[in-house]
Amino acid sequence: MSTSAGREPNLELRDFLRSRRARISPHEAGLGPVTSRRRVPGLRREEVARLAGISVDYYVRLERGRNSNVSASVLEAVARVLRLDAAERAHLFDLGRPRPGSARRRVVPAQRVRPGLLRLLDSLTDTPAMIMGHRLDVLAANTLAKALYTDFDALPHRDRNLARFIFLDPTARDLLADWETAARGTVAALRLYAGRHPHDPRLTGLVGELSVHDEDFRRWWADHDVLEYTHGTKHYHHPLVGELALDYESLTLPDDPDQALYLYTAEPDSPSAHALRLLGSWSAPDPAVRDADRENTR
């Protein structure tokens, strides 16, 4: 069904606004107690329009995905009413103010990791580190990151992807101590990427594959949650070294904002630090190093 301007409605914007509106109660929005029976969860569209200071007709068209290139002031007002966090606000702007030419289906250029960054990864012998790019593709990983997750370099290129690992590799459910939280975060990170690159055919293929093979992915994708990984803590149950609690930092690379360096560290002198050191000794290329470090950890 076309819009009046001959364009297809923006279904992603429609579904995202509906899902966020359903989360906000009239009380949370400052409308006071509601006595009448309500047929919809959360706010009504006319309530969002009134609180945002725009006409009901305009907001209805916006939520139906019939407005293109919405003004920043309107999006800011809607984000405020819907209490969007930083990632959700950025996603709303990606959907409401698409980049020039983004409506065309196109192949997203392949990403390359600079030789200097590869040498940097290899020099980090005590810290798991990887570089992730489009669609959570694992572009590069050092030896310790491969020992922590899996040897991505040994996989076919299309399988070197964190989302595929988490949802399609059965070892991931045992490795990740809180698999559901990690998996939901992965879906939300893919949603955020989808707003920036809505017509990436490889993303479409990835989402389709995961939706077919995993019911959890299919359900969580429909929630339209978004998340930007910046820092946090991940918990693992590693088959070789047991429990690990690792803090991660995500550093966006300045010459390619769709590439990020992920570093995983443990609290100094903690059980996780000792376990990480043991994992490093197991993955060391020199058997003498492995044996010496194993003796030191007994």
Side-chain angles (χ1 to χ4, degrees):
M1 182 176 181
S2 301
T3 66
S4 57
R7 298 187 181 92
E8 293 297 318
N10 187 336
L11 302 183
E12 290 296 324
L13 178 61
R14 179 198 69 184
D15 293 341
F16 179 67
L17 286 174
R18 286 179 178 177
S19 69
R20 300 309 94 170
R21 176 166 60 87
R23 300 184 314 175
I24 306 298
S25 70
H27 177 73
E28 290 173 320
L31 295 179
V34 177
T35 57
S36 60
R37 185 174 181 178
R38 302 173 69 85
R39 293 183 299 170
V40 296
L43 294 175
R44 296 181 174 125
R45 288 180 294 190
E46 57 267 25
E47 291 169 338
V48 175
R50 184 168 75 252
L51 291 169
I54 58 180
S55 72
V56 174
D57 178 66
Y58 186 89
Y59 181 76
V60 168
R61 286 187 286 114
L62 176 64
E63 192 176 286
R64 288 177 176 171
R66 295 182 177 276
N67 287 336
S68 61
N69 202 20
V70 186
S71 72
S73 60
V74 168
L75 293 177
E76 287 285 6
V78 172
R80 172 181 51 80
V81 172
L82 298 181
R83 299 192 173 193
L84 303 187
D85 62 24
E88 291 170 328
R89 177 190 174 279
H91 189 59
L92 176 62
F93 271 71
D94 286 333
L95 298 178
R97 295 173 64 83
R99 300 170 187 175
S102 65
R104 298 191 300 272
R105 183 177 176 85
R106 61 188 180 86
V107 176
V108 176
Q111 294 173 296
R112 297 288 182 266
V113 179
R114 297 197 311 271
L117 285 172
L118 293 175
R119 290 194 295 271
L120 173 62
L121 286 184
D122 289 339
S123 71
L124 299 172
T125 56
D126 298 326
T127 303
M130 65 176 75
I131 295 176
M132 284 195 285
H134 296 311
R135 316 160 209 98
L136 300 182
D137 288 343
V138 179
L139 303 178
N142 68 359
T143 299
L144 198 48
K146 295 173 189 175
L148 177 63
Y149 281 94
T150 191
D151 188 355
F152 290 102
D153 288 345
L155 301 176
H157 277 280
R158 70 182 299 274
D159 293 336
R160 299 175 190 177
N161 178 276
L162 192 63
R164 274 198 176 93
F165 170 74
I166 288 176
F167 282 97
L168 301 183
D169 191 323
T171 65
R173 293 178 184 258
D174 296 325
L175 173 66
L176 298 165
D178 188 351
W179 180 86
E180 180 173 335
T181 297
R184 290 183 74 115
T186 299
V187 175
L190 278 180
R191 264 289 179 197
L192 189 67
Y193 171 84
R196 296 170 180 165
H197 302 280
H199 300 283
D200 177 358
R202 288 184 59 186
L203 173 68
T204 302
L206 174 63
V207 171
E209 178 184 1
L210 297 181
S211 297
V212 167
H213 287 92
D214 194 279
E215 182 181 351
D216 289 326
F217 181 91
R218 186 165 60 250
R219 184 174 71 254
W220 295 333
W221 184 256
D223 289 340
H224 288 268
D225 291 336
V226 293
L227 172 70
E228 183 162 21
Y229 282 117
T230 55
H231 65 278
T233 302
K234 289 186 178 292
H235 296 270
Y236 305 87
H237 183 73
H238 198 277
L240 292 180
V241 298
E243 304 300 323
L244 285 161
L246 300 181
D247 297 325
Y248 72 88
E249 296 284 343
S250 170
L251 308 176
T252 301
L253 302 181
D255 60 342
D256 185 348
D258 284 325
Q259 282 191 43
L261 171 63
Y262 285 78
L263 301 167
Y264 299 81
T265 61
E267 186 74 23
D269 203 31
S270 65
S272 292
H274 292 297
L276 191 59
R277 185 182 178 198
L278 180 58
L279 182 61
S281 72
W282 276 102
S283 58
D286 186 348
V289 174
R290 289 200 304 268
D291 294 341
D293 213 37
R294 213 173 305 152
E295 288 294 327
N296 292 333
T297 57
R298 288 179 179 173

